[in-house]
Amino acid sequence: LWAELGQVRLKRRQWDGALSCLAKAVELEPGSQAYVKSLGYTLVVSNRMAEAVGVLARVHGEAGALIEVSRCL
């Protein structure tokens, strides 16, 4: 539910709301790579690159996270 609400807010460009919802989704299901990735990419569009790298590193490793963030720019 939190992830879906986060996606709705993301599509509406409500970055802060999307981040809150996706962070809650990750908190409730920390093993969900899909939720972690969504949170990471939302941090990128929110121009919070250092945080995005930290989150995406959980899935891709640090080097992979840097590559993923650079692809989004």
Side-chain angles (χ1 to χ4, degrees):
L1 178 63
W2 286 107
E4 288 81 10
L5 183 56
Q7 292 301 319
V8 168
R9 290 186 170 177
L10 183 60
K11 288 179 184 178
R12 293 181 179 172
R13 298 179 183 263
Q14 298 172 348
W15 310 133
D16 290 336
L19 287 169
S20 296
C21 292
L22 293 168
K24 185 68 173 178
V26 170
E27 177 186 326
L28 294 173
E29 293 189 47
S32 172
Q33 289 189 359
Y35 295 172
V36 173
K37 287 179 184 179
S38 291
L39 177 58
Y41 295 127
T42 303
L43 286 163
V44 170
V45 298
S46 299
N47 203 29
R48 294 165 65 173
M49 303 308 172
E51 291 173 84
V53 170
V55 169
L56 291 170
R58 293 173 54 183
V59 176
H60 298 290
E62 189 170 345
L66 290 167
I67 291 168
E68 289 298 312
V69 168
S70 69
R71 286 182 182 165
C72 295
L73 301 176

